[in-house]
Structure formats: structure tokens, C-alpha cells
Amino acid sequence: MRELILKLKEKPDICLEVEGILPNVIAEKSLEEIENLPIQYGNRRVKLSEFFDAYVEKSETPRIIFDGDMSRVKRIGWKLDGGEIVVRGNAGMYLGAFMRDGKIVVEGDVGHFSALNMSGGTIVINGNAGNYLCASYRGEWRGMSGGIVMVKGNVGKELGSYMRGGKIIVEGTADDFAGVCMRGGIVVINRAEERLGAGMIGGAIVVNEVEELLPGFFEEGEEENPEIEGEKFEGRFKVFSGDHAERKAKGRIYVRL
Amino acid sequence: MKLILKNGIVYDPANGINGEKMDICIKDGKIVEKVRFAKVIDVSNKLVMPAGFDIHSHIAGGKVNVGRLLRPEDSLRRAVARRNGLRSGSGYSVPSVHIIGYDYARLGYTTVITPAMPPLLSRHTHHELNEIPMIDKAAFPLYDGNWFVMKYISEEKYEELKAYVAWLLWATKGYSVKITNPGGTEAWGWRKNVHDLDEEVPYFGVTPKEIITSLVDVCNDLNLPHSVHLHCNCLGEPGNYEITIKTLQLVRHKDFDGRQSLHVTHLQFHSYGGDSWKTFESKADEVAKEVNKNDNVMIDTGNVIFGDTTTMTADAPMEYDLYLLTGLKWVNKDVELETAPGVTPYIYSPKVLVNAIQWAVGLELALLIKPEKVILTTDSPNGGIFTNYPKVIAWLMSKKAREDMLAKVHRSTEHRTVLPSIDKEYDFYEIAMITRTNPAKSAGMPNKGHLGVGADADIAVYDINPLEFDPKDYDKLEKALSNAYLTIKGGEIIVKKGEIVKVTHGRTFWVDAMGKVDRSLIEKDLDYYFKRYYSVSLSNYVIGENELRRSERICVN
């Protein structure tokens, strides 16, 4: 087992796309082979070594560490299927998109469309996240289906749209349209802005504080220490069902009292 | 360019050639008796057939483009990079323009007809067709919900109807008359549909029966190369086989000196029994019996392939029903005085009984109807995308392939269909018939679909020895048919070993029947309707011949 450390030489003027730089891909390769792996720079294919200094070290688990400000590096952990990725700094768009397994830890912020259509694994974001975190791909009605995403900071709009399964925990504020069109899974948010759960027909949203709910949500009473999607939550919650603007809506929003 | 294809094993049903080892000579884009000083290509022990002909595939036009806009996630499934001078593209069930042409060439197909062109959107359709490389093409304009057609039929003005049909073919550079759910698309404007041949269309008071029979007569009188191309009423509804049989019976006695009087398209979607989704069953045997008895019709199958696809048809009420079933995204269009298409995604799942039965019905029809009357299609992309044709051919040629698939589908399928009891296996001669000869014959293109002297040199060679083919080995067949060893289009090699080696642009066929009618009969109505109702002026409506990249005008007399 070994880990690869990729140090960004300098912040690129246009975005890099590092699709295919995954722990399982580099596991069997020599350092030279790794340095020659192709990445996308605008409309050009370039070698990894053109933008990154690569070092290999021994480690317990297969791991890649991205060192530096990666806010112009897109598709880190795209289709990740095992192993671990650590980003020491910010990450760009599409972090962990279509991820199936493994773990990603980001010390800074992440860009838009992160954890898109994720189906398994864990992502920990210590900063803020952009719009469309854990959302479905444009036009897709089969969104995130599994895995756990934890965000310490705030997240942008349309968090977890069309989500079918898995879990999202946001310790900060989620912008408008969190949980839009949800079908399943659970979203736990500290504070939500407007239009929470618009169009949801399944799954559950647990929120400590919310501006106001859409008229499609009906109050169903109060619950003490409820069990939501197989998990115990402490405290008293007001329960809403909805969004009854949709047919056969079975979504639930729990607002902490 | 002069070419000789040497020692191939040739199947050419139009000329009665059944697996003979022979040479084919090509000169100046045509097949000739003999040629000297030609380049010789050795294709010994390889399957040689005329190039494929797809008579019903939605490859261009308003609906296809709406499908692309509606489904960005479809583009994610397949992206093709630019290389070797080929254009890039994306899309799985609704591929972008250029890769449609490349895909067809790789399959060994060189002629494709896009079957439902709303006349108002024909400019868009033709400009899109112009950009599709590799293939020859044509488009059928829609006449089903057309106000002129219904007006003339209800007023019993037959000569005017004839003039209008010919005028619209000329104005839209169309190839033949397509009717989709006759009457139903106009009724849809009133939030209704028609469910019987004698049900009246609101306002106009005409019935589907009158629309079909009048247009069948017009097509015959104008001597159009193709007959009426009909998408029957009640597509996809349980129990719709009765209306399908009634429709087929309408033309049983319309015997026009051996001329085909009706082409019934994607018959699979019209051969269902039962009275609800719970009792849904196959009635392919009943429909097949009627088709076999009826000398005047040709059918295409509209087979279903399991998987994700985008349905698109000019039958908007049907698309709405489908949307109610799936709850997925849906687009409805209303084309002014003409028709009403709809688009919605659909997933055919082998574990869903209805879908499994649909899959079986398509195969039953192909196996039970005489091969002389069958054309293989998937109504691409409605039943599945055209790149799956080799899969359907494998099912038709190998009982084992069908049994292997039956084992994977919903268990009740065998009780609701007769597929497990059918032992017939197609041979290469019959496959050449249903994918080459029959469509070319039905479309009335005498230079296509065969390898006789004088035919267009459109040839497909596949890397499989048909004389040693074992039906149990269907995977190999599927692989060979998916990537043509050689595709020759107009005497030029365009595909070699599954790779495109030359990009060409085919011709657009259209029919000019204006010489047979008197345009002055409809001049006044055209002026009035365009001033009063259309959002475009008459002069902007007509497509000029110069708008087609390579126009091929077929003059009828």
C-alpha cells in the first residue's frame, strides 16, 4: 500500500480536470507512469507532471493527497471506487461525483456539483460547499442513492435534489431549495433558507431552524425523540408531511422545537 | 472508382441469390456485370449483403431535437471524442447529428428514412438531415391532423385532396404520406383522443377510417413510390389489436395491380390483448394471421430492446398517457394546423411484465408473419436505439438466444405470449430480406436493397461465415453484425473493419407529383388558411430544392 502526494506547482489560469487520478488506478503504477497519466487542461490533454509534483510514500491504505489550493482543479475523485483522497486546501467542481466507494476528506471549501449522483462512500468537507451538492446530474431523475456526506460549513442551492438514498449532514446553513424533489434518504440541516423540500415525495429532512415551509407541507403534530429512517434523534420535533403539490407525496420534514 | 469484391458469400433475395460464392463488380457507384482494371478486395468466407435500409427511424426533426434538450443525462451516457477527421458527439438514445450517420455506416446501413416530419418543421428537419453524414435519407411528412386534409375529406373534395397531398410533398420535400393516430392528434387539441375507426374528430366530423381510406386512394392515384405509412390508432393500449385488425381489413380489397396499398408501422405496439395493464397479453398471432391473409400491406415490427430510451412520436395523447404511467418528464408540442407530437423518457425493464410481453410481441410478429411482408425496425428510439438491430437479428436467428433472454425476463411472460412455442429460426436469406430487400421494395426505391446490375453500389460485408454459422453461437453473430467489415456506399468504401475511413454525404430523396394535379384547385384555400391561421407566410413555408445538400427528385407520372 502506498500514498501519492500531488503538490500543485502553481494555480493554473484555466481549470484542470483530473478525472482518472484515483487510488486504485495508481496502486500498481510506477512513479514515472503516474507522472505520465493524462489530465485535461482546457481543451488539451497534458501530463500530470506538467502541473503537479508527485511523491510516493508508504501508507496503510491506498491514498492520494492533493496539496495546495485546488479550487481550479475539477473532478477530483470522479467515479471513485475505493481508497482515500485527501485535499489539503479547497477543491474545485465535481469533487466525488458519481463516487461508488471510498473516502474523500477536504480541508477547505468545495465547488459546485460535488458528490453528484453519489452511490456510496463517505465525503467530509470541513469548509463550505457550492450549489448542487449531492444533486442529480442535469436532467437526471435518479439522484444520489447512497453514501454519507458531511459538511462543516454552509452549502449552496439545490442540496440533494432528486436524492433516493444516503445521508447528508450540514452543520451550517443550506441555501434555497435544499432537498428539492427528494425521493428517499435523509438530510440533516442546521438552518435552511426558503423552499425547503419543494416537490419532495419521499425521504426525510431534519432541520433545527427554517425560514418558512411551502404551502404544500401539512402539519402532522409533534414527536419526542423520533426515529427517522432508522436513526434516533433527540429532542422535540414538529412533523410536516409533503410536498402535497405532488401526487402521493410521502416526504417528511422534522423541525426542532 | 472500380472495385471487385471477390469470393464473398452473397445473399440477395431480390435476385434469388441464397448464399452463393460470387464476385461483385462495381463501377461509377453502380453494380455492373463486368469490370476491368479494378481494385480487387478478397472477401472470401465473409457475409455479403446489400447495405441495410431503415424505413422507420427518428433521426432528425423537431421531436428528436426536443428529445436532446429534454435529456441532458442521456448525453452523459455516451460521449464520442473527435478523432481521425470525424466529428465529436454525444447521446445514447438521441445521439447528436453526426454520430447517427457514423453509427449507421458501422452497422452496414446506408439508407434511412425519418418517418414523422411535421410539415411546418420540415425546414429544420431537412437542415438536420443535410448534416447527417454517410447515409441517403428521406422524410415522410405528417398528414394525420392536417386541417386541409380533414376539410377536403369532410367536404368530399377528392381532387382538391389529391392536389394538396402532392403540393405538401413538394412544399416540404417529403417522400410519402405518413399518418400518425389519424384524427387523434387533432382531437388532442380538444383534450380528447379517438379510440375507434368510426369515431368522429371534433369540429371536422371526419373519422379515422375516412382519413386512412382517402389517403390510401390518393397515394395510389398519384402513383407515389411508397404507400401510406400508417401508425394506427390506440398505440400501446391494452386490447388495441382489434382496431389494428379492423384497420388492416380496410385495405384488404384495395388491390391496386399488385401495388402495396398500406405500410403499417411498428406493429408491435398495436398487437396487445387484455383490457387493462393487469390482463395485458400478446395478440401477435391474431394480427399476424390477418397480415398474412392481406396481400396489400407491408409491416415493420418495432421491436423492443430492454433499457433506457426516449420515446418520441407525433401521437401526443399517447405520450401523455405514457407520462401518466411513469411520472417522468414530458414535452408536448402542438404544430399549428398539422399535428401534435410528444416526447418522454421510458425504461423497458425485463422484470416488468408489460415490457417483457412487448419484447416478446415484436419477435412473435417477425416469426409468425411471412418474411416477405416483414421489415425489421425498433421504431428507433421508441422501442430501442437502432444500434441494437444485431441483437434483434440474433433473437430471430437463434432459438437459444430467445430462450436465454426468456430466462431473464418476468416469469409470467411465457403464459401471456406464444413465443416459447415458436421454433422458427431465420436464416441469412430471410434476414437480408427483412433488413434490405423488403424496406427498399416497400419504399419504392428500385436501385436500393439489391445487388443486381444497375443497382446503387451500397453493400455491406460482415466478418462471419454464414455457411458455418451455428445459431447457438449468437454472440459472435451479434458482434459481427455490429461492426461491418466493409460498408460500401455509392461505390466508395466508407467503413473498413468497423472503422470509418471516409466521410460522405448522401442524397435526400423526395417525390414530385405536381405534374399529376391541378394546383389552381387549392390556391384559394392555401392563401386563406395561411393568412388566417398559420404563423408563417406561404412563401416562407415552402422548402426550396436548393436547401437540400444533395437533392434527388423523383418525378412520378
Side-chain angles (χ1 to χ4, degrees):
Chain A
M1 296 296 167
R2 55 192 185 156
E3 68 180 28
L4 171 71
I5 301 165
L6 293 170
K7 219 178 167 105
L8 194 62
K9 286 177 179 170
E10 58 177 326
K11 200 172 171 181
D13 46 356
I14 53 171
C15 286
L16 292 171
E17 291 172 57
V18 293
E19 187 182 340
I21 310 297
L22 301 175
N24 289 347
V25 173
I26 58 130
E28 303 293 313
K29 289 190 161 59
S30 69
L31 185 59
E32 199 184 339
E33 282 175 319
I34 292 169
E35 284 179 332
N36 285 333
L37 282 172
I39 58 173
Q40 196 77 21
Y41 174 58
N43 61 2
R44 281 201 291 132
R45 280 282 220 220
V46 297
K47 285 178 190 165
L48 188 66
S49 57
E50 208 165 302
F51 285 93
F52 293 94
D53 289 321
Y55 312 94
V56 174
E57 279 175 20
K58 277 217 163 4
S59 117
E60 295 286 295
T61 49
R63 189 185 321 183
I64 299 180
I65 297 172
F66 286 88
D67 200 351
D69 181 9
M70 302 287 158
S71 51
R72 286 220 180 115
V73 181
K74 296 200 272 190
R75 298 178 206 254
I76 295 173
W78 173 273
K79 295 190 178 166
L80 180 69
D81 52 0
E84 196 179 330
I85 292 178
V86 177
V87 182
R88 293 203 182 126
N90 301 332
M93 291 204 283
Y94 292 106
L95 174 112
F98 299 94
M99 171 171 167
R100 293 196 289 271
D101 198 5
K103 189 177 181 187
I104 301 179
V105 180
V106 184
E107 288 179 3
D109 302 342
V110 300
H112 309 304
F113 300 106
S114 294
L116 198 78
N117 271 62
M118 176 177 176
S119 58
T122 311
I123 298 180
V124 179
I125 298 160
N126 286 307
N128 302 322
N131 298 322
Y132 301 104
L133 178 73
C134 300
S136 69
Y137 186 79
R138 278 285 156 85
E140 182 62 84
W141 64 93
R142 298 156 287 196
M144 172 171 172
S145 57
I148 299 175
V149 175
M150 283 179 269
V151 187
K152 292 270 160 60
N154 304 327
V155 302
K157 292 186 169 64
E158 300 209 18
L159 167 77
S161 70
Y162 286 95
M163 180 174 173
R164 291 178 292 169
K167 187 177 177 184
I168 307 172
I169 302 165
V170 179
E171 293 181 13
T173 303
D175 207 339
D176 299 350
F177 287 106
V180 59
C181 294
M182 262 176 83
R183 268 84 176 122
I186 177 166
V187 181
V188 184
I189 309 172
N190 182 32
R191 208 183 86 83
E193 299 280 355
E194 287 179 19
R195 305 187 187 205
L196 180 68
M200 74 188 285
I201 55 173
I205 298 174
V206 183
V207 60
N208 290 341
E209 234 181 280
V210 62
E211 282 293 304
E212 61 175 337
L213 288 180
L214 286 166
F217 287 93
F218 300 165
E219 201 176 323
E220 303 282 343
E222 290 181 10
E223 263 185 68
E224 185 98 36
N225 301 336
E227 194 183 308
I228 306 165
E229 304 275 319
E231 199 180 330
K232 274 250 185 274
F233 282 81
E234 302 232 325
R236 268 185 89 71
F237 290 88
K238 199 177 246 183
V239 187
F240 295 85
S241 73
D243 178 349
H244 292 292
E246 301 289 323
R247 283 186 299 163
K248 296 177 191 163
K250 289 200 187 100
R252 280 268 190 284
I253 294 183
Y254 294 81
V255 183
R256 196 180 287 272
L257 289 170
Chain B
M1 193 176 171
K2 293 188 275 190
L3 270 178
I4 298 179
L5 292 181
K6 216 165 180 61
N7 287 334
I9 295 160
V10 179
Y11 289 86
D12 180 12
N15 296 306
I17 296 167
N18 186 0
E20 283 173 40
K21 192 170 237 195
M22 57 191 281
D23 301 345
I24 291 171
C25 305
I26 300 160
K27 191 182 166 192
D28 299 335
K30 297 273 175 198
I31 291 173
V32 291
E33 193 88 50
K34 260 189 207 144
V35 63
R36 292 178 68 197
F37 311 118
K39 187 179 163 193
V40 178
I41 301 173
D42 180 38
V43 289
S44 41
N45 295 329
K46 291 189 170 51
L47 169 65
V48 178
M49 295 200 273
F53 190 122
D54 196 343
I55 200 167
H56 193 108
S57 172
H58 299 265
I59 55 169
K63 290 192 290 295
V64 183
N65 232 21
V66 168
R68 291 183 187 121
L69 289 172
L70 182 69
R71 300 208 62 194
E73 79 281 7
D74 188 65
S75 283
L76 185 71
R77 278 187 72 184
R78 181 175 176 226
V80 182
R82 184 181 63 185
R83 74 193 173 99
N84 297 346
L86 302 184
R87 302 277 293 258
S88 61
S90 67
Y92 173 76
S93 64
V94 270
S96 53
V97 172
H98 301 95
I99 57 177
I100 289 179
Y102 304 148
D103 283 350
Y104 264 116
R106 265 189 225 109
L107 274 185
Y109 276 64
T110 60
T111 315
V112 183
I113 299 180
T114 188
M117 168 171 76
L120 190 65
L121 304 179
S122 53
R123 178 161 281 113
H124 174 157
T125 310
H126 279 299
H127 282 250
E128 221 177 309
L129 284 176
N130 283 344
E131 291 306 314
I132 299 180
M134 322 305 269
I135 52 176
D136 283 337
K137 49 244 162 178
F140 297 151
L142 288 156
Y143 285 78
D144 46 82
N146 196 301
W147 287 13
F148 291 94
V149 170
M150 287 186 292
K151 172 182 142 79
Y152 291 139
I153 292 173
S154 70
E155 291 170 4
E156 297 185 10
K157 288 181 175 165
Y158 184 71
E159 285 305 315
E160 281 84 345
L161 176 65
K162 231 166 85 176
Y164 179 74
V165 168
W167 178 81
L168 194 66
L169 279 181
W170 168 81
T172 63
K173 302 295 173 272
Y175 190 80
S176 190
V177 175
K178 168 78 189 285
I179 336 179
T180 297
N181 187 5
T185 50
E186 173 57 23
W188 179 236
W190 307 75
R191 183 60 182 89
K192 286 177 185 156
N193 198 352
V194 289
H195 293 96
D196 190 79
L197 285 178
D198 294 316
E199 198 174 324
E200 284 193 358
V201 178
Y203 181 75
F204 288 97
V206 295
T207 63
K209 187 178 176 178
E210 287 166 356
I211 298 176
I212 297 168
T213 48
S214 313
L215 288 171
V216 164
D217 289 338
V218 167
C219 272
N220 179 51
D221 282 353
L222 291 176
N223 197 18
L224 299 183
H226 187 44
S227 61
V228 166
H229 197 89
L230 174 65
H231 153 144
C232 297
N233 301 89
C234 301
L235 182 142
E237 290 174 19
N240 62 6
Y241 80 105
E242 284 175 5
I243 193 164
T244 309
I245 288 178
K246 273 190 221 158
T247 309
L248 287 164
Q249 282 167 347
L250 287 181
V251 296
R252 201 195 268 182
H253 304 294
K254 286 201 185 290
D255 199 0
F256 301 131
D257 302 328
R259 215 188 104 91
Q260 166 193 330
S261 51
L262 189 63
H263 178 107
V264 182
T265 189
H266 41 69
L267 194 59
Q268 179 273 125
F269 291 108
H270 304 277
S271 308
Y272 307 145
D275 44 26
S276 71
W277 295 112
K278 288 214 168 76
T279 55
F280 190 81
E281 59 177 350
S282 162
K283 283 285 181 190
D285 43 349
E286 305 266 339
V287 176
K289 236 183 264 169
E290 176 58 35
V291 175
N292 281 334
K293 263 189 274 177
N294 199 324
D295 291 333
N296 307 322
V297 294
M298 200 78 167
I299 65 113
D300 70 72
T301 51
N303 282 79
V304 156
I305 313 288
F306 295 115
D308 187 333
T309 194
T310 312
T311 66
M312 48 184 68
T313 142
D315 188 351
M318 174 266 150
E319 291 285 352
Y320 175 67
D321 292 342
L322 194 60
Y323 153 73
L324 288 183
L325 273 179
T326 62
L328 299 179
K329 48 194 173 178
W330 159 67
V331 172
N332 183 70
K333 283 183 101 178
D334 178 50
V335 186
E336 297 184 10
L337 290 64
E338 295 170 350
T339 180
V343 182
T344 185
Y346 192 73
I347 300 159
Y348 292 102
S349 162
K351 298 290 168 212
V352 173
L353 182 56
V354 169
N355 297 159
I357 292 171
Q358 288 181 309
W359 166 79
V361 171
L363 297 177
E364 284 170 356
L365 286 170
L367 293 163
L368 293 173
I369 298 174
K370 291 183 227 162
E372 297 82 42
K373 300 173 85 66
V374 177
I375 293 169
L376 174 74
T377 66
T378 58
D379 189 13
S380 171
N382 290 319
I385 181 76
F386 62 85
T387 43
N388 289 307
Y389 286 165
K391 229 178 231 170
V392 183
I393 293 174
W395 284 323
L396 293 178
M397 290 192 75
S398 161
K399 185 159 165 53
K400 182 165 182 293
R402 299 200 289 270
E403 279 167 353
D404 288 355
M405 193 67 219
L406 262 173
K408 288 184 211 155
V409 304
H410 194 286
R411 262 183 294 158
S412 299
T413 311
E414 46 191 276
H415 306 302
R416 307 269 188 104
T417 64
V418 293
L419 188 64
S421 67
I422 303 176
D423 290 327
K424 182 179 164 66
E425 285 179 340
Y426 268 70
D427 58 22
F428 283 101
Y429 186 76
E430 289 166 331
I431 290 295
M433 213 177 226
I434 66 170
T435 56
R436 273 93 177 146
T437 321
N438 291 354
K441 202 175 102 191
S442 173
M445 293 192 187
N447 291 333
K448 299 276 181 197
H450 71 101
L451 298 175
V453 171
D456 287 352
D458 291 359
I459 305 167
V461 182
Y462 300 100
D463 193 5
I464 187 168
N465 186 344
L467 302 179
E468 288 168 11
F469 171 69
D470 174 11
K472 291 199 176 68
D473 201 8
Y474 59 86
D475 279 342
K476 208 175 136 199
L477 173 77
E478 207 183 304
K479 225 174 125 195
L481 294 183
S482 302
N483 287 297
Y485 179 78
L486 280 179
T487 307
I488 296 171
K489 162 89 178 50
E492 288 179 304
I493 298 175
I494 56 171
V495 172
K496 227 180 213 172
K497 292 186 186 164
E499 294 289 330
I500 284 151
V501 291
K502 187 174 166 61
V503 177
T504 58
H505 281 276
R507 295 166 288 171
T508 304
F509 288 77
W510 65 280
V511 170
D512 187 352
M514 286 305 277
K516 300 200 76 168
V517 297
D518 180 7
R519 180 176 164 165
S520 62
L521 285 175
I522 55 166
E523 209 69 64
K524 230 175 111 189
D525 288 331
L526 283 177
D527 271 351
Y528 177 73
Y529 267 62
F530 273 85
K531 281 206 183 103
R532 180 90 173 79
Y533 298 112
Y534 267 105
S535 63
V536 296
S537 72
L538 182 56
S539 53
N540 286 337
Y541 184 82
V542 178
I543 312 290
E545 200 176 349
N546 58 346
E547 291 183 54
L548 311 183
R549 186 190 278 255
R550 283 178 69 196
S551 159
E552 180 81 30
R553 174 162 160 248
I554 297 174
C555 228
V556 293
N557 40 44

